[in-house]
Amino acid sequence: MTASALRAILASDRVTHVPGVYDPVTAALAVAAGHRAVHLSGAAVSAIMLGRPDLGFVHGTQIADRASTLVPALGDIPLIADADTGYGNPLHAVWTALAYARAGISGLHLEDQASPKRCGHLAGKEIIDIGEAAAKITALADQAPNIVVIARTDAYSVRGLDETIVRCRAYAEAGADAVFPEGVDSLDELKLVHRALPGVPLVINRSEAGGSRPVLSDADLAEVGVRLVLHPVAALLAAMRAASLAYRAIADGGTAEPVDRMPWAAFTALVGQDEALDLDARYVPGRLQT
């Protein structure tokens, strides 16, 4: 999927909710649910691949590798991936963007934290110089035009709303397709960001990592310029909860029957078992069909 489809979503006048996916099965489930775009979280990849928290353990090469396994299940649905800080200077950020594009990723979000980064909802974050951060955005816009660049700033929790607006404006002027003011989630403050950046699409985060946060209507969000709402780990947390219940039921009673589960037939349909068996029957020697 090219960046054009994702740019069209950003250019629309509606809000698109973007759930997190982390493997081909969750990608297929998101497509079946009718989503227009999906997200691959660095926190999810770090947890699933390494069993580690979102503290800079994962590199872009691992995210690109994970993305390449789930993109085929997405068809024409664009994938947005976490690119953390770009994993270095502008040169490294460009290499990351090109690797993401080769993996089939349509867009990325790049943040202005110091490396190694911290999960956006943790204390102790540091942000880099605004010029250094803008240089990465310019480099991506120049050298990787086939991928959408969402510029995220973590300035809100460090220096407040005014600095957040200054940085969002600088990143938009540097060539970002959209800006992501992490931590800004009240309607009044989103209005201020929107007024300062007319015409610039906004991206917000509804991660459970942020605790209890205001849930604004899509109509209100659209009015203040929000075009994407990320739900990066909702499905992962739901899956972990369901798995924990199944493991506990088996440990306590020797069966998972008390736990609600997807039927086996639905699972095999999701992973394409019937289609695979048809190909097997058609091409495997001794099982050829006319």
Side-chain angles (χ1 to χ4, degrees):
M1 168 59 73
T2 65
S4 59
L6 185 53
R7 289 192 171 109
I9 291 174
L10 290 172
S12 71
D13 59 359
R14 61 178 285 190
V15 171
T16 295
H17 290 271
V18 185
V21 298
Y22 48 88
D23 58 23
V25 173
T26 52
L29 286 170
V31 172
H35 285 285
R36 303 172 66 219
V38 295
H39 179 266
L40 180 60
S41 158
V45 174
S46 187
I48 291 167
M49 292 183 65
L50 305 176
R52 303 299 298 162
D54 187 19
L55 294 174
F57 290 102
V58 166
H59 192 271
T61 52
Q62 292 163 297
I63 292 177
D65 181 65
R66 170 65 59 157
S68 69
T69 69
L70 58 88
V71 162
L74 292 173
D76 293 333
I77 304 302
L79 172 65
I80 302 166
D82 190 349
D84 284 347
T85 64
Y87 310 100
N89 63 24
L91 175 69
H92 304 110
V94 167
W95 188 93
T96 296
L98 295 176
Y100 278 25
R102 287 193 298 270
I105 295 169
S106 300
L108 58 80
H109 52 81
L110 185 76
E111 60 202 58
D112 58 3
Q113 282 195 53
S115 185
K117 58 80 55 85
R118 297 172 71 85
C119 175
H121 304 286
L122 290 177
K125 293 183 295 184
E126 297 179 9
I127 53 177
I128 62 175
D129 177 78
I130 189 172
E132 182 182 351
K136 295 183 187 181
I137 301 299
T138 299
L140 295 188
D142 289 345
Q143 300 299 320
N146 291 327
I147 197 161
V148 170
V149 178
I150 299 168
R152 168 177 151 170
T153 179
D154 284 79
Y156 182 75
S157 65
V158 180
R159 298 183 188 171
L161 183 64
D162 289 346
E163 177 70 11
T164 297
I165 291 173
V166 168
R167 285 177 175 252
C168 284
R169 182 184 293 114
Y171 301 159
E173 291 173 352
D177 294 278
V179 296
F180 179 176
E182 172 59 37
V184 179
D185 49 26
S186 76
L187 187 60
D188 288 342
E189 290 187 325
L190 287 169
K191 283 180 181 178
L192 293 174
V193 177
H194 179 51
R195 288 173 187 167
L197 288 87
V200 178
L202 304 184
V203 178
I204 65 170
N205 193 3
R206 279 193 182 159
S207 173
E208 288 81 352
S212 179
R213 306 168 80 177
V215 179
L216 305 174
S217 72
D218 285 0
D220 283 341
L221 291 173
E223 188 175 347
V224 296
V226 173
R227 295 297 175 259
L228 300 179
V229 179
L230 306 182
H231 303 259
V233 294
L236 174 61
L237 295 178
M240 294 301 99
R241 174 60 174 163
S244 70
L245 293 175
Y247 290 134
R248 175 52 56 192
I250 293 168
D252 290 345
T255 177
E257 283 303 317
V259 180
D260 187 27
R261 290 154 292 147
M262 175 179 281
W264 178 252
F267 173 74
T268 58
L270 191 66
V271 298
Q273 177 173 288
D274 289 345
E275 293 88 342
L277 289 175
D278 286 344
L279 286 175
D280 183 62
R282 184 179 304 175
Y283 297 115
V284 173
R287 289 199 285 264
L288 294 177
Q289 296 179 344
T290 58

